[in-house]
Structure formats: structure tokens, C-alpha cells
Amino acid sequence: TSQVRAIAEVATAVTKGDLTRSIQVDARGEMAELKDNINTMIGNLRLTTEVNTEQDWLKTNLARFTNMLQGQRDLTTVGRLLLAELAPLINAHMGVIYQTETTDSPQLRLLSAYAGDGANPHPQLVQFGEGLIGQCAMDKRQRLVSDIPTDTAPINSALLRIVPKNLVVLPVLFENQVKAVIELSSISSFTASQMTFLEQLTDSIGIVLNSIEATMQTEGLLKQSQQLAGELQTQQKELQQTNEQLEQK
């Protein structure tokens, strides 16, 4: 009966959502087989629950960031919002985002920074292939760095100066074109769920940045068209005045 009571107690706890329990009572024969099967069932259920929880976390936060960035029309605002919300979510403590500038030689311009170190300001421009950020833009592949040296720029607060332990650099792509590069550092390791989230999030960010750039280009063309129309109208008025003067003469 003690074996049955132990099995019943754990089974009751599982039905109430407690998946941390397991049957520890000594048993033999069929009772031992029943005990092992129930413990296996609890382990499988715990694993499935963890996977479902991670998937819910991914979907919920991806949807939140997508809704937050939709409708934005300013790249600086997007960079600031992105780092301000992303860093606490994945337990990052410093971060930067660089936007690609299309010139004769592609380069990256600092768009926004999170918890920067005043003693070591971030460079405003980074060439493709320069440093981890530039290399990430050139290769279009993420970089994860662990065991960072102690002479790295520290994470500062009013009370602490801590050297980060892990750093990740992520390219933001749209149709295989680099739109931006994000760099994040943390005093703890990034989990597999956090890395998966970052990879999926960069796809959404690429779409948003491309949409904003396209909107800005359209607005720029519209302003040029309006300016040309105004100049043409002015020229028409001047031509009309000249014709009237000629008729008078």
C-alpha cells in the first residue's frame, strides 16, 4: 500500500500541473515497471511542456515586436525602440545597431546604441569587413563570441563595471541584402531559445527597414516632383509675362 500511495501522490501532483515530482519509492516486479513508466511519462510531459512554452514565448514576442515596429517611418526611432525592448528581453546589457549606407563603397552608420560606454564611444562609421560588425555584414552570417578578454569595454552602471561574457553579432537581411547589423553583449550566456528568437526577429526587422527605406525614397521622389512642378509653373508664368510684354511692344 505504501507503493500505491506514493504513486497516487505523484500522479495527483502531475494532474495539478506539478511536473517536478517523480516516484522515488522502492518497488519490485509489476509495481517497479509501473513506477518506471509513470516517471518516463512525467519526463516526456515535462519536455513537451517546455518546448510548448518556448514556442509560445517565441511567437508572442515576435508578434509584439512586429506590432511595435509596424507603421514606423523613422529609422532612428526604430533603432532606439528595438534595442530598448530587445536588450531586457534576452538579458543583454549593451547593444548597437548599424544601418547600411549605399555608397561607392558600402559602409555601416551607427543608428542607435544601448547602454554605451562614454569612455569608449562607438564608431559612427564601419566599413564592410572592418571588425566583427563589418565582417558580419560582408559574410552575411552571425557571430557568437564567448570567453571575452578582460580588456574589453565594460558594461557600466552607477555601482558596477562588468566585462561581458558573451557577444553576438547578427546581420539583418532582406532578399539577401544587408540592411543593418545588430551587436549585443551580456554578462551571461545566450540560451538556445534566445538565439532562435534573434534569428527569426532579424527577418522581421529586415522587412521593416526595407519598407521604411522604400517609403523614404518614395517621399523623396514625390518632393522632387513637386519641386519640379513648382519650378515649371514659375517658368510658365515668366514665359506668359514675356509673351504679354512682346505683344505690347
Side-chain angles (χ1 to χ4, degrees):
T1 57
S2 62
Q3 297 170 350
V4 174
R5 285 196 300 269
I7 294 173
E9 180 184 355
V10 173
T12 301
V14 171
T15 59
K16 294 181 180 179
D18 184 4
L19 300 178
T20 62
R21 304 283 296 276
S22 63
I23 304 171
Q24 302 294 336
V25 68
D26 293 332
R28 296 179 182 178
E30 293 179 349
M31 294 299 291
E33 184 178 353
L34 176 62
K35 165 192 166 183
D36 294 338
N37 288 338
I38 292 179
N39 284 338
T40 301
M41 179 192 68
I42 295 173
N44 293 336
L45 185 59
R46 184 189 304 118
L47 180 61
T48 302
T49 302
E50 290 175 354
V51 171
N52 291 337
T53 301
E54 289 181 359
Q55 289 299 317
D56 290 341
W57 182 83
L58 284 173
K59 293 177 181 178
T60 299
N61 285 292
L62 284 172
R64 181 168 69 88
F65 273 82
T66 300
N67 293 332
M68 179 184 68
L69 297 178
Q70 277 183 350
Q72 296 292 338
R73 303 181 64 181
D74 180 69
L75 290 173
T76 303
T77 302
V78 168
R80 179 178 53 80
L81 282 175
L82 180 63
L83 292 179
E85 295 294 329
L86 180 60
L89 180 65
I90 64 170
N91 199 31
H93 302 93
M94 288 181 68
V96 291
I97 179 171
Y98 281 81
Q99 175 198 359
T100 301
E101 283 189 345
T102 304
T103 58
D104 295 337
S105 58
Q107 60 184 7
L108 299 158
R109 180 175 293 275
L110 181 64
L111 186 62
S112 183
Y114 179 85
D117 180 16
N120 299 282
H122 306 295
Q124 292 296 315
L125 291 176
V126 175
Q127 303 298 323
F128 274 45
E130 180 183 353
L132 281 178
I133 289 179
Q135 192 63 43
C136 176
M138 179 173 288
D139 295 344
K140 301 177 184 178
R141 291 185 299 180
Q142 74 174 29
R143 294 287 190 276
L144 180 62
V145 181
S146 303
D147 300 325
I148 299 176
T150 56
D151 58 350
T152 305
I155 297 170
N156 286 325
S157 72
L159 300 176
L160 297 173
R161 288 175 60 87
I162 305 174
V163 175
K165 299 292 180 62
N166 287 273
L167 181 144
V168 62
V169 187
L170 299 148
V172 178
L173 304 177
F174 180 80
E175 295 183 350
N176 205 35
Q177 293 184 348
V178 179
K179 294 295 181 180
V181 175
I182 300 173
E183 182 179 9
L184 300 162
S185 63
S186 175
I187 61 175
S188 58
S189 299
F190 294 108
T191 65
S193 297
Q194 291 171 343
M195 293 301 299
T196 301
F197 172 72
L198 289 173
E199 292 172 3
Q200 296 182 14
L201 180 63
T202 51
D203 294 336
S204 300
I205 298 172
I207 296 173
V208 171
L209 293 181
N210 183 75
S211 177
I212 293 176
E213 290 177 358
T215 301
M216 293 174 63
Q217 291 177 356
T218 302
E219 291 178 349
L221 293 174
L222 180 60
K223 288 181 180 179
Q224 291 181 2
S225 177
Q226 291 174 344
Q227 183 178 359
L228 291 174
E231 293 176 354
L232 181 60
Q233 187 176 4
T234 301
Q235 292 175 359
Q236 289 177 344
K237 289 182 179 180
E238 293 175 352
L239 181 60
Q240 185 177 1
Q241 291 175 357
T242 301
N243 290 337
E244 291 175 355
Q245 291 175 359
L246 289 173
E247 289 176 358
Q248 291 176 1
K249 292 181 179 180

